[in-house]
Amino acid sequence: ACRLSNKWQQAVWLLFQMPEAQLKPNEVCVNSAIASCEKAGAWQLALKMLQSLSDKANLKSFTAAIRVCGSSRQWQRAL
């Protein structure tokens, strides 16, 4: 919902607040937060969140990060 309403900062904030509420973010939460960074051009943050997934990253994780990098003209980072 945050991604579609252009509230990417809120999506990222919610993700980082989850551990404080004793909730463990899963790949769906992180993928959504990564995708929300696309319109804002927050590619650095998107890549940082992708790294936080480590071994849980999936095709959607990488696709979202690649889209963010591409829309920010940081295609080299997507490689």
Side-chain angles (χ1 to χ4, degrees):
C2 292
R3 178 178 62 90
L4 297 176
S5 64
N6 204 20
K7 295 185 179 184
W8 70 274
Q9 292 168 320
Q10 188 173 8
V12 173
W13 182 83
L14 287 169
L15 177 72
F16 287 111
Q17 292 301 309
M18 289 180 75
E20 289 186 27
Q22 298 181 347
L23 299 170
K24 185 176 180 183
N26 62 17
E27 56 272 2
V28 174
C29 298
V30 179
N31 291 349
S32 296
I34 291 171
S36 74
C37 293
E38 184 176 356
K39 288 185 180 178
W43 61 271
Q44 299 99 329
L45 185 56
L47 292 180
K48 183 177 179 180
M49 288 187 285
L50 179 65
Q51 282 184 316
S52 76
L53 279 175
S54 61
D55 61 334
K56 294 180 187 171
N58 59 28
L59 181 61
K60 288 185 180 186
S61 311
F62 288 106
T63 301
I66 288 168
R67 288 180 60 110
V68 174
C69 289
S71 67
S72 301
R73 297 189 175 168
Q74 295 293 325
W75 60 269
Q76 307 93 330
R77 309 281 183 185
L79 301 176

